Amino acid sequence: MAETNLQILLKRRPVGAPLEADFDIVETPVPEPGDGQVLVRARYLSLDPYMRGRMADAKSYAKPVALGAVMEGQTAGEVVASRHPGFKPGDIVLGGYGWQRFSVVGPERLFKVPEADPPLSSSLGVLGMPGLTAWTGLEDIGQPKAGETVVVSAASGAVGQVVGQIAKIRGCKVVGVAGGAKKCDFVVKELGFDACLDHHGDLEAQLDAAAPEGIDVYWENVGGKTQAAVFPRFRDFGRMVMCGMIAQYNEAPGADASGAPPGPNLGPVVRKRLRIQGFIVSDSGWSRYATFRSEMEGWIRAGRLRWREDVVEDLRNAPRAFIGLLKGENFGKLVVRID
Amino acid sequence: MAETNLQILLKRRPVGAPLEADFDIVETPVPEPGDGQVLVRARYLSLDPYMRGRMADAKSYAKPVALGAVMEGQTAGEVVASRHPGFKPGDIVLGGYGWQRFSVVGPERLFKVPEADPPLSSSLGVLGMPGLTAWTGLEDIGQPKAGETVVVSAASGAVGQVVGQIAKIRGCKVVGVAGGAKKCDFVVKELGFDACLDHHGDLEAQLDAAAPEGIDVYWENVGGKTQAAVFPRFRDFGRMVMCGMIAQYNEAPGADASGAPPGPNLGPVVRKRLRIQGFIVSDSGWSRYATFRSEMEGWIRAGRLRWREDVVEDLRNAPRAFIGLLKGENFGKLVVRID
């Protein structure tokens, strides 16, 4: 039996939380690389919250996935055929090849990465887009200084776990926020955060106990009630790194949505001289990938940076895993092992 | 009859909008300067929105005025007696000497300024704290670039008129927001803004007409419905300079007030990579006063910078004028001529 391509398509745009029926799983012929292209067989697919935005047709920083098109996403895989002199079969590459087993890509979308040490899947997590997000957001916006207090939401997630550990390396006190005792235990015992608060409890009281001095840097992954609890607790000159607001990805229809829930009154921004700043890693992050990777690999070798992955087997399970990601059901960086 | 000091004291903390009965007007003996001090006779008092914050005992960036103490404020006046070698009678000085005719001050609080050319009252406005606020906020946060669209709230006020004119000098398209046709006419015809929108009308429709391309820099003086109309209209990488939110000064009890009205949903901060940043001119602005004044005087001499003052006669009228300021009744920088 000849190999086929397995692809996951966007069937219809979700209303609220995505359903498995919003996706199509299809088998198609393996594509042929054209001149200057390579054929990549993906080994791992990264699942990330931003993908919810691509499923909607609201105006945003990136175009939506078209109905009937392959879902967007980063994969790490192996070159299996090449018509480009820079790549040969067996090369391990990283790129945005979508939710599919095989893809044909040009060299502008190929990053060569090591196959092992650290293992390949890390190039989709701690050493991939989520890690780069953490590193650039702290470098450019959070700018944590030794002795400051940093609060990280979604602390056990792909980005949060890296944010907190870099802040620890920078000499900060780091308080995570996560869902449930198991995640919080991991964040404190394995990742070395100073504390981790369960957002199912009374976050305001927990914050007052864990950070009575107030908050210098808040890493925003979630929005909602965590944002509401953190916002009044900033110290003067606090910084709020706006990475995402997963709590409302299934609610707010889009960029200028009038249906979105209100946010905090901005009075404290003046009085406390706060800075609230958003960023998208793809704007400029990849141009600094080599510097990022070298610094991160140094910390990994020194045993200062750990991570946890939540590996789902079989590409066919990607829709269900992605739906769970938006509910916080994953524990660590969510990746799909494709075969 | 010997001269007396005239002082305006904070009698009680206002609930909501201040009333004249919240102030005491008293006559007291003229104070004597101690060793190293000077006696200043104020000619002009500046009235500014931040003073509302000083009347409340909520936690903020500056201590509240104590009950029974002289109201805080900047004055420009003349040294009438000196026991400091650096100052002599007749010197014209600027400083935070409060709502009173005479004050005794040490050299650390004395800035010498010219008596005329431009006239002394300008040292409380375009060349004083409000002008410095505009200049530093644009330099440090707004960073308007030629061709960008800048929206300025309270455009005919002390800070707004300077913000918009500097943005014009920097090559921007400048849209003001002000209350009423008279102020808007002044903003366009006298100050040279490209447009001015009346916030009594439908601001959203007016913004769409005046700036269909969207907003790169928003100078926030007011909050409330103007903020709500501007916020969804930022372009990517927009900056929101948080200078003040006068619309809620009589409402929100303080820094961490749970009673404050909600603000905008912060989702667009991520998607559009916005930066929202607050500042207080007294943090670092005065150390740059000489540079500021020299650049501003250059623009004034070149005829590129105009201003309008709203001069109230007699210190006894300061409470009434201040109450009107919070309602937008002034037209231009509000100052009180003391005698």
Side-chain angles (χ1 to χ4, degrees):
Chain A
M1 194 181 95
E3 265 200 313
T4 58
N5 197 5
L6 184 68
Q7 300 182 304
I8 301 186
L9 314 180
L10 178 63
K11 185 173 178 183
R12 60 180 191 199
R13 304 206 180 277
V15 179
L19 306 172
E20 289 193 61
D22 296 329
F23 300 88
D24 250 341
I25 302 179
V26 297
E27 293 199 42
T28 56
V30 176
E32 294 279 338
D35 197 37
Q37 294 182 317
V38 307
L39 177 66
V40 177
R41 181 187 181 112
R43 291 195 192 161
Y44 291 97
L45 164 68
S46 177
L47 293 178
D48 301 283
Y50 76 84
M51 294 165 168
R52 178 63 183 83
R54 300 289 200 285
M55 299 179 80
D57 63 359
K59 193 173 181 295
S60 190
Y61 60 92
K63 278 189 191 158
V65 174
L67 288 177
V70 177
M71 280 291 295
E72 275 183 36
Q74 286 255 322
T75 59
E78 178 181 351
V79 174
V80 289
S82 175
R83 295 187 59 191
H84 187 284
F87 298 88
K88 58 181 192 308
D91 282 351
I92 302 296
V93 291
L94 177 67
Y97 313 140
W99 297 25
Q100 56 187 341
R101 185 184 289 140
F102 289 101
S103 49
V104 154
V105 282
E108 71 288 353
R109 294 174 59 208
L110 292 163
F111 266 98
K112 282 193 203 178
V113 291
E115 182 165 6
D117 188 25
L120 180 56
S121 57
S122 71
S123 284
L124 294 176
V126 64
L127 292 174
M129 185 276 287
L132 186 64
T133 297
W135 186 84
T136 54
L138 281 182
E139 285 277 304
D140 297 347
I141 302 175
Q143 300 169 341
K145 286 180 277 292
E148 289 191 327
T149 296
V150 177
V151 172
V152 186
S153 60
S156 70
V159 174
Q161 52 184 333
V162 180
V163 169
Q165 290 181 92
I166 295 179
K168 283 302 296 176
I169 289 168
R170 302 273 183 235
C172 299
K173 170 175 168 181
V174 179
V175 177
V177 179
K182 220 166 97 180
K183 288 180 180 175
C184 277
D185 262 13
F186 164 74
V187 163
V188 172
K189 291 180 187 157
E190 295 295 316
L191 302 183
F193 287 33
D194 297 283
C196 185
L197 318 179
D198 185 347
H199 64 68
H200 298 116
D202 179 346
L203 255 187
E204 308 203 345
Q206 292 180 79
L207 280 168
D208 284 340
E213 71 280 10
I215 296 161
D216 297 293
V217 177
Y218 173 52
W219 186 281
E220 177 62 294
N221 279 321
V222 299
K225 63 184 180 175
T226 304
Q227 180 183 95
V230 166
F231 198 80
R233 289 171 172 77
F234 273 115
R235 301 179 70 190
D236 286 354
F237 305 102
R239 289 85 73 196
M240 182 161 166
V241 188
M242 298 290 296
C243 178
M245 284 172 58
I246 194 172
Q248 70 179 43
Y249 286 1
N250 286 335
E251 293 169 17
D256 305 330
S258 52
N265 182 287
L266 297 178
V269 177
V270 183
R271 284 191 292 275
K272 300 186 182 177
R273 297 77 119 191
L274 306 181
R275 177 158 51 86
I276 304 172
Q277 191 168 348
F279 77 111
I280 304 283
V281 67
S282 53
D283 282 339
S284 68
W286 291 102
S287 65
R288 293 143 79 188
Y289 184 76
T291 309
F292 152 76
R293 185 153 184 140
S294 140
E295 185 162 23
M296 295 284 278
E297 286 186 337
W299 288 329
I300 291 170
R301 278 193 301 271
R304 304 184 74 184
L305 198 55
R306 298 169 172 210
W307 65 94
R308 181 185 173 110
E309 288 170 357
D310 189 333
V311 183
V312 170
E313 300 293 339
D314 192 343
L315 183 56
R316 291 172 189 272
N317 290 320
R320 193 179 314 154
F322 176 67
I323 290 164
L325 171 71
L326 295 175
K327 297 178 188 158
E329 290 174 359
N330 61 305
F331 185 179
K333 169 63 190 124
L334 185 60
V335 292
V336 179
R337 186 161 17 222
I338 290 183
D339 285 307
Chain B
M1 195 181 92
E3 262 199 315
T4 59
N5 197 5
L6 184 68
Q7 299 182 304
I8 300 186
L9 314 180
L10 178 62
K11 186 174 178 183
R12 60 179 192 199
R13 306 208 180 275
V15 178
L19 306 172
E20 289 192 62
D22 296 328
F23 301 89
D24 249 343
I25 302 179
V26 298
E27 294 200 40
T28 57
V30 175
E32 294 279 337
D35 196 39
Q37 295 183 316
V38 305
L39 177 67
V40 177
R41 182 188 181 110
R43 292 193 191 162
Y44 290 96
L45 165 68
S46 178
L47 293 178
D48 302 283
Y50 76 85
M51 294 164 169
R52 178 64 182 83
R54 299 291 200 283
M55 299 178 80
D57 62 0
K59 193 171 182 294
S60 190
Y61 61 92
K63 278 188 191 160
V65 174
L67 287 177
V70 177
M71 280 290 297
E72 275 183 36
Q74 287 256 323
T75 60
E78 178 181 351
V79 173
V80 289
S82 175
R83 295 186 61 192
H84 186 284
F87 299 87
K88 58 180 192 307
D91 282 351
I92 302 297
V93 291
L94 177 66
Y97 313 140
W99 296 26
Q100 57 187 342
R101 187 185 287 139
F102 288 101
S103 49
V104 154
V105 282
E108 71 287 354
R109 294 175 59 209
L110 292 162
F111 266 98
K112 283 192 201 179
V113 292
E115 182 165 8
D117 189 25
L120 180 57
S121 57
S122 71
S123 286
L124 294 175
V126 64
L127 293 173
M129 185 275 288
L132 186 63
T133 297
W135 186 85
T136 54
L138 282 181
E139 286 275 305
D140 297 346
I141 302 176
Q143 300 169 340
K145 287 180 275 292
E148 289 190 326
T149 296
V150 178
V151 171
V152 186
S153 60
S156 70
V159 174
Q161 52 185 330
V162 180
V163 169
Q165 289 180 93
I166 295 180
K168 283 302 296 177
I169 289 169
R170 301 274 182 236
C172 299
K173 169 175 168 180
V174 179
V175 177
V177 179
K182 222 168 96 181
K183 288 180 180 175
C184 277
D185 262 13
F186 163 74
V187 163
V188 172
K189 291 181 186 156
E190 294 296 315
L191 302 183
F193 287 32
D194 297 283
C196 185
L197 318 179
D198 185 347
H199 64 68
H200 299 119
D202 178 345
L203 255 187
E204 308 204 346
Q206 291 180 80
L207 280 168
D208 285 339
E213 70 281 10
I215 297 161
D216 297 293
V217 177
Y218 172 51
W219 186 281
E220 176 61 293
N221 279 321
V222 300
K225 65 185 179 174
T226 304
Q227 180 183 94
V230 166
F231 198 80
R233 288 171 173 77
F234 273 115
R235 301 179 70 188
D236 285 354
F237 305 102
R239 288 85 73 196
M240 181 161 169
V241 188
M242 297 290 297
C243 178
M245 284 173 57
I246 195 171
Q248 70 179 43
Y249 285 1
N250 286 336
E251 292 169 19
D256 304 329
S258 53
N265 181 285
L266 297 178
V269 178
V270 183
R271 284 190 292 275
K272 299 185 182 178
R273 296 79 119 192
L274 306 181
R275 179 159 49 87
I276 304 173
Q277 190 169 351
F279 77 111
I280 305 284
V281 67
S282 53
D283 282 338
S284 68
W286 292 102
S287 65
R288 293 143 81 188
Y289 185 76
T291 310
F292 152 77
R293 184 152 184 142
S294 141
E295 185 163 23
M296 294 284 279
E297 286 186 339
W299 288 330
I300 291 170
R301 279 192 302 273
R304 304 185 76 184
L305 197 55
R306 297 169 171 209
W307 64 95
R308 180 182 174 113
E309 288 170 358
D310 188 332
V311 183
V312 170
E313 301 292 340
D314 194 342
L315 183 56
R316 292 172 188 273
N317 291 320
R320 193 179 314 154
F322 176 68
I323 291 164
L325 171 70
L326 295 175
K327 299 178 187 157
E329 289 175 359
N330 61 305
F331 185 179
K333 169 63 191 123
L334 184 60
V335 292
V336 179
R337 187 164 12 230
I338 289 182
D339 285 306

